[in-house]
Amino acid sequence: MDKLRIMSVFGTRPEAIKMAPLVRELQSREGIESLCCVTAQHRQMLDSVMDVFGLKADCDLNIMTPSQTLSTITSKCLVGMDEVIESKKPDMILVHGDTSTTFAGALSAFYHKVPVGHVEAGLRTYDKYSPYPEEMNRKLVTQIADLFFCPTQNNRDNLAREGVTEGVFVTGNTVIDALKTTVREDYVFSTGALNELDYEKRRIVLVTCHRRENYGEPMRCIMTALRDIAAQNEDVELVYPVHLSPVVHEAANKYLAGAPRVRLIDPLPADEMHNLMARAYLVMTDSGGLQEEAPALGKPVLVLRRETERPEAVEAGTVAMAGVRYDDILRMGNELLRDRAAYERMAHAVNPYGDGHACRRIADAIEWHFGRRTEKPADFAP
Ligand code: UD1
Ligand code: UDP
């Protein structure tokens, strides 16, 4: 029997981190030929992930330009994918999550009548413009996809409410699989700035902020609140690996550079980031991925957004919504840093997003879909 040719398409840092363990799993299957097509919507941040997980791209569209627009990302991906799909003729294309690469990859597969598997399917905020453009990207991919790999039961319920019930699997999130390979108790940092931190004397507040809907006034409020939290808590050190987006860079330099106990650093390789998170006291972020990783590591998270598509850890009590207003962020940040009981209520490890076996379930589901396996994989249940 011919091998199934499964092509994973991704382009940004979070997609790469979450697809890496799946690509590895697919590579390990005898009946599968795994191909990796990167759009390189992110260049340096993608390459860093490829290095950490030892991945090599079979095709590289190399589309990134500084300050790229949503239209240029999408159109360049579509044009580039034409040639890739025509030459490689995959049996299925896998896309991940909700980026512009995700949407364009799925659309291109549809144009070529190649079935699509959507990894991290069924997340929703029901607000078209928040997160922007991700909520629309993932809804559009739902219309195109044939297989849906939902991290949680809640994600499956979201799809069911939209009438999508066929080809749906609850697998857990592959990010937990990734985390299991990167976090180690005896890990030694290779980034100089992380070795300079005094983890005994200072509580580390790990910060990231990059979302498009936070550009402008929300980012000003978030960053000034972060600056003041660092100023008002002398045993705290705020560590912020700044995303390479020029908009984010400009804001971070304007509001945070030179502020006391604030360390702005370059984006970290994924293994460095995960191990820093494991040693941090608190995480403040507008990232999607960090909302899944930090709870697994027992770290409280304050979300710097108005909404979340990841309510599971909020319900479990380890993630709280701080919003994008200066007063709320300052108050909630200070409370967690000063009220030990409030902190302890949030600081416990929960794993609503996975058990580290999501990739095995996804690969099994693909083989089952193509009639190469008799047993349908059982759903993940926390
Ligand atoms: C993208 C995704 C977002 C995801 C985020 C993860 C879209 C529309 N947005 O947003 O869902 O949360 O990635 O980080 O798909 N840049 C570099 N080098 C890099 C990466 C980025 O220089 O390695 C700069 C470039 O100037 C680029 C800009 O950052 O134009 C923005 O990148 P882009 O992918 O358009 O948007 P993100 O905000 O990163
Ligand atoms: N991350 C990283 N280095 C950094 C910042 C984040 O490796 O300097 C990782 C983080 O641990 C998570 C992923 O990148 O696995 C999240 O990516 P990002 O916040 O860029 O995107 P989002 O998840 O919001 O789409």
Side-chain angles (χ1 to χ4, degrees), residues 1 9 63 66 78 179 195 202 217 227 234 252 273 320:
M1 214 186 295
V9 178
I63 66 158
L78 280 175
L179 212 51
N195 287 324
R202 289 272 169 90
E217 183 60 11
R227 181 197 62 200
E234 284 187 4
M273 181 67 176

Side-chain angles (χ1 to χ4, degrees), residues 10-17 20 37-57 59-64 244 267-271:
F10 50 91
T12 67
R13 171 172 66 192
E15 294 166 83
I17 292 172
C37 170
V38 299
T39 64
Q41 175 180 334
H42 285 173
R43 186 71 271 173
Q44 301 89 330
M45 283 157 53
L46 172 79
D47 291 346
S48 162
V49 180
M50 302 295 277
D51 285 349
V52 167
F53 291 96
L55 296 184
K56 283 207 164 43
C59 316
D60 189 334
L61 306 185
N62 197 23
I63 66 158
M64 195 194 87
L244 293 179
L268 290 169
D271 48 356

Side-chain angles (χ1 to χ4, degrees), residues 44 95 166 168 184 214-215 250 254 266 291 295 342 344 356 377:
Q44 301 89 330
V95 294
E166 292 294 309
V168 182
R184 258 172 246 110
N214 279 342
Y215 285 2
E250 197 184 312
K254 185 165 172 193
D266 289 337
Q291 289 179 60
E344 293 299 341

Side-chain angles (χ1 to χ4, degrees), residues 133-209:
E134 291 81 4
E135 177 73 0
M136 187 54 69
N137 284 341
R138 56 197 174 212
K139 286 178 101 166
L140 293 168
V141 174
T142 297
Q143 303 310 305
I144 295 172
D146 301 270
L147 297 184
F148 305 86
F149 304 114
C150 296
T152 69
Q153 182 64 44
N154 168 55
N155 304 143
R156 175 209 280 264
D157 295 344
N158 290 341
L159 292 183
R161 274 192 292 276
E162 295 169 20
V164 180
T165 53
E166 292 294 309
V168 182
F169 301 83
V170 181
T171 60
N173 198 309
T174 59
V175 78
I176 306 297
D177 300 32
L179 212 51
K180 286 199 166 172
T181 68
T182 50
V183 176
R184 258 172 246 110
E185 235 166 74
D186 59 353
Y187 185 87
V188 180
F189 292 114
S190 48
T191 306
L194 301 185
N195 287 324
E196 287 164 18
L197 295 171
D198 187 341
Y199 297 90
E200 304 296 318
K201 295 214 177 89
R202 289 272 169 90
R203 291 182 295 169
I204 308 296
V205 177
L206 178 57
V207 165
T208 75
C209 179

Side-chain angles (χ1 to χ4, degrees), residues 41-42 44-45 65 67-68 100 134 210 212 243 245:
Q41 175 180 334
H42 285 173
Q44 301 89 330
M45 283 157 53
T65 50
S67 304
Q68 58 203 358
S100 294
E134 291 81 4
H210 73 274
R212 275 173 202 256
H243 190 290
S245 156

